[in-house]
């Protein structure tokens, strides 16, 4: 689907979608409990559907019990137990699904073939493969990471992972290891990047009755024979999605966002401090954030702990005075697309001045963009970032492949219209 966007400043009040990162974790923890739990305030997305699909294949029951104002309440009956036989686990295009659930699958004892689509088969799984080699867990794969067939069981002991590839590998093991008969140690062999995402996991585990002792960043002591607790678990608002609207308000008109926790452990919450450091005006009132149009100035932004913010920050830098440097973001080249290259190519094609480096971007601010045709690269965050940039175009902007927002935020274009945006499907 190609959408033609007419330049128009966005403004209004919006309830932000629930956190996809937290949603994955809450659903998996509920499925690992012996009994029924309710996970509330879920904004549906293709990625979360993939996690639910695989959990059901593993033996959990996942049922939607209410759907109100675009939010789901899902009943999860868990208690995954050892099984025999084999199955295929379709992870769609979700990196979180495959990396979180490979360790969980090793609790079942089944022979499981993990599959995926889009760019997912190319995304690295080597940290797990190295563990499989060390722990004598059988696996087969082709030249790509997926399909991957795994057969074996986890055992207590010492597990080592590189901390500079993805925190998702840590999360998968942190959720599975507490259920083993013996204790385990999980340690990083490098400095840990995206530590905040591991903190989201630890916070979620505590709510579900699982306790992990964090000795320091990258070193976790995990007691075995723990049990997940059933209950009701609301999913908080998503700062990574809010980032687009906050940037939209700074470069457009006033945007007010509801449903963001003041106590969130989400690393992407730092978007607020980034904007303020660039002299953007953010007003706070309880769980409400208000972005007010501002003349921002460029600075150096370290995204080591919040790589998903790169597309939104690239747009903010484009309309900031002076030079903005985004650094320590090399891992975003391994997302749904190479986001550093994609943002450079698409913004420059409509009049921006962006140069890519090995781990980020150097952006010289401009006052406006020309409009024209851009590609979404089958990447939800690229599409949403370009939608925000359309406000400052002098002509219409056509986004090719705009439907890719379904991966994380299916109602994005409806919310875009709610906030005053004009987007018409190209005929």
């Amino acid at each position: 689907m190609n959408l033609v966007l007419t330049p128009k400043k966005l403004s209004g009040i919006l309830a932000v979608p629930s956190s996809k990162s937290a949603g994955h974790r809450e659903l998996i923890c509920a499925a690992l409990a012996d009994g029924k739990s309710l996970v509330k305030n879920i904004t549906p997305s293709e990625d979360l559907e993939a996690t639910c699909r695989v959990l059901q294949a593993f033996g959990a029951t996942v049922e939607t019990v209410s759907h109100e104002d675009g939010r789901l309440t899902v009943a999860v009956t868990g208690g995954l137990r050892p099984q025999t036989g084999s199955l295929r686990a379709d992870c769609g295009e979700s990196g979180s699904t495959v990396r979180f659930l490979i360790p969980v699958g090793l609790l079942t004892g089944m022979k499981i073939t993990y599959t995926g689509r889009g760019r997912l088969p190319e995304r690295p799984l080597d940290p797990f493969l190295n563990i499989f080699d060390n722990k004598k867990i059988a696996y087969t794969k082709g030249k790509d990471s997926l399909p991957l067939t795994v057969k074996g069981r986890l055992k207590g002991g010492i597990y080592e992972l590189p901390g500079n590839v993805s925190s998702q590998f840590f999360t998968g093991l942190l959720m599975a290891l507490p259920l083993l008969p013996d204790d385990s140690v999980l340690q990083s062999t490098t400095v840990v990047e995206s530590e905040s995402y591991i903190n989201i996991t630890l916070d979620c585990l505590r709510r579900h009755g699982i306790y992990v002792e964090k000795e320091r960043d990258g070193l976790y002591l995990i007691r075995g024979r723990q049990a997940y607790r059933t209950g009701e678990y609301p999913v908080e608002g998503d700062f990574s999605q809010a980032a687009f609207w906050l940037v939209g308000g700074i470069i457009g008109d006033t945007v007010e966002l509801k449903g963001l926790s003041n106590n969130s452990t989400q690393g992407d919450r730092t978007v607020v401090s980034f904007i303020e450091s660039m002299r953007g005006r953010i007003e706070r009132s309880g769980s409400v954030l208000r972005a007010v149009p501002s003349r921002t100035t460029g600075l150096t932004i370290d995204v080591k702990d919040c790589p998903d913010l790169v597309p939104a920050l690239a747009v903010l830098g484009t309309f900031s005075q002076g030079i903005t440097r985004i650094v320590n973001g090399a891992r975003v080249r391994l997302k749904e697309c190479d986001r550093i290259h994609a943002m450079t190519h698409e913004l420059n094609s409509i009049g921006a001045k962006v140069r890519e480096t090995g781990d980020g971007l150097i952006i010289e601010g401009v006052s406006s963009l020309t409009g024209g045709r851009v590609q979404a690269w089958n990447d939800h965050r690229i599409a949403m970032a370009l939608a925000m940039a359309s406000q400052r175009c002098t002509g219409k902007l056509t986004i090719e492949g705009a439907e890719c927002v379904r991966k994380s935020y299916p109602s994005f274009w409806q919310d875009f219209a709610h906030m005053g945006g004009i987007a018409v499907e190209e005929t």
Side-chain angles (χ1 to χ4, degrees):
M1 176 181 71
N2 300 339
L3 289 181
V4 181
L5 279 56
T6 299
K8 188 175 185 296
K9 291 184 177 180
L10 303 175
S11 66
I13 302 172
L14 187 69
V16 299
S18 66
S19 167
K20 183 164 66 76
S21 293
H24 284 294
R25 291 163 171 80
E26 298 287 358
L27 289 164
I28 294 169
C29 289
L32 292 173
D34 191 3
K36 183 177 180 178
S37 297
L38 293 178
V39 182
K40 299 182 172 181
N41 194 44
I42 295 177
T43 301
S45 67
E46 290 182 344
D47 280 7
L48 291 179
E49 289 170 6
T51 288
C52 290
R53 184 168 58 243
V54 176
L55 288 173
Q56 288 174 304
F58 286 177
T61 300
V62 183
E63 299 176 316
T64 298
V65 296
S66 72
H67 190 170
E68 185 176 350
D69 296 329
R71 307 300 173 100
L72 306 181
T73 295
V74 175
V76 182
T77 303
L80 306 185
R81 294 175 176 83
Q83 305 176 53
T84 59
S86 61
L87 61 84
R88 293 180 71 84
D90 175 11
C91 300
E93 298 186 28
S94 174
S96 294
T97 301
V98 70
R99 290 169 175 168
F100 291 177
L101 290 178
I102 284 176
V104 172
L106 289 168
L107 299 173
T108 70
M110 300 183 73
K111 180 181 180 181
I112 302 173
T113 299
Y114 296 89
T115 63
R117 300 187 299 276
R119 204 167 183 237
L120 185 60
E122 303 172 25
R123 296 173 71 176
L125 292 176
D126 292 344
F128 279 158
L129 303 186
N130 293 334
I131 285 176
F132 297 163
D133 290 335
N134 291 333
K135 301 291 185 181
K136 303 299 188 290
I137 295 171
Y139 68 92
T140 58
K141 61 179 286 293
K143 65 180 182 66
D144 291 331
S145 293
L146 299 178
L148 171 69
T149 300
V150 185
K151 176 71 167 70
R153 293 186 187 278
L154 292 174
K155 297 179 181 179
I158 297 175
Y159 288 81
E160 293 186 333
L161 287 170
N164 58 356
V165 180
S166 173
S167 64
Q168 293 170 346
F169 297 105
F170 287 84
T171 288
L173 286 168
L174 286 168
M175 290 192 287
L177 293 176
L179 296 178
L180 300 182
D182 299 315
D183 298 347
S184 299
V185 175
L186 176 59
Q187 60 188 26
S188 178
T189 58
T190 70
V191 174
V192 178
E193 298 182 8
S194 294
E195 176 72 22
S196 63
Y197 287 95
I198 299 176
N199 291 335
I200 294 174
T201 301
L202 297 176
D203 188 49
C204 184
L205 290 173
R206 281 191 292 270
R207 287 196 299 275
H208 288 259
I210 299 294
Y211 297 92
V212 173
E213 184 178 349
K214 180 179 177 180
E215 287 278 290
R216 55 174 170 77
D217 287 358
L219 180 59
Y220 313 93
L221 309 182
I222 305 155
R223 181 169 49 85
R225 295 188 180 278
Q226 297 191 61
Y228 282 81
R229 185 169 55 212
T230 58
E232 296 188 4
Y233 300 100
V235 182
E236 65 176 291
D238 194 339
F239 275 92
S240 69
Q241 307 288 28
F244 296 103
W245 298 111
L246 292 173
V247 168
I250 294 295
I251 67 173
D253 206 341
T254 301
V255 168
E256 185 174 300
L257 301 180
K258 301 186 297 182
L260 294 165
S261 171
N262 288 322
N263 301 314
S264 177
T265 56
Q266 295 176 55
D268 293 333
R269 183 183 180 186
T270 194
V271 68
V272 176
S273 61
F274 285 155
I275 291 172
E276 290 177 327
S277 295
M278 297 173 75
R279 300 185 181 177
R281 181 179 167 191
I282 301 290
E283 299 174 349
R284 300 169 176 82
S285 178
S287 64
V288 174
L289 289 179
R290 187 178 298 105
V292 180
S294 308
R295 296 185 67 180
T296 50
T297 57
L299 80 166
T300 297
I301 305 173
D302 188 337
V303 295
K304 179 179 69 174
D305 204 37
C306 51
D308 283 343
L309 294 181
V310 168
L313 292 173
V315 171
L316 182 60
T318 293
F319 298 113
S320 296
Q321 294 178 323
I323 302 296
T324 298
R325 290 178 172 85
I326 298 176
V327 300
N328 289 326
R331 285 174 302 125
V332 302
R333 293 188 183 277
L334 302 175
K335 296 287 187 175
E336 283 80 352
C337 73
D338 178 342
R339 288 177 177 163
I340 289 175
H341 179 67
M343 289 305 297
T344 301
H345 184 275
E346 301 310 322
L347 288 173
N348 284 345
S349 75
I350 53 175
K353 298 178 181 179
V354 184
R355 179 162 58 90
E356 62 179 284
T357 65
D359 70 346
L361 300 168
I362 300 174
I363 307 166
E364 181 181 347
V366 298
S367 60
S368 65
L369 299 174
T370 61
R373 297 187 74 88
V374 290
Q375 292 273 352
W377 294 67
N378 195 35
D379 189 317
H380 50 132
R381 299 194 192 280
I382 301 300
M384 291 186 282
L386 293 171
M388 296 303 129
S390 72
Q391 297 180 90
R392 299 281 285 271
C393 289
T394 57
K396 293 182 177 182
L397 182 70
T398 300
I399 300 179
E400 299 180 358
E403 73 280 359
C404 62
V405 297
R406 295 180 304 201
K407 189 175 192 296
S408 67
Y409 193 168
S411 63
F412 174 79
W413 293 115
Q414 291 95 311
D415 287 349
F416 186 78
H418 170 76
M419 300 297 277
I422 301 173
V424 178
E425 188 167 357
E426 186 177 48
T427 57

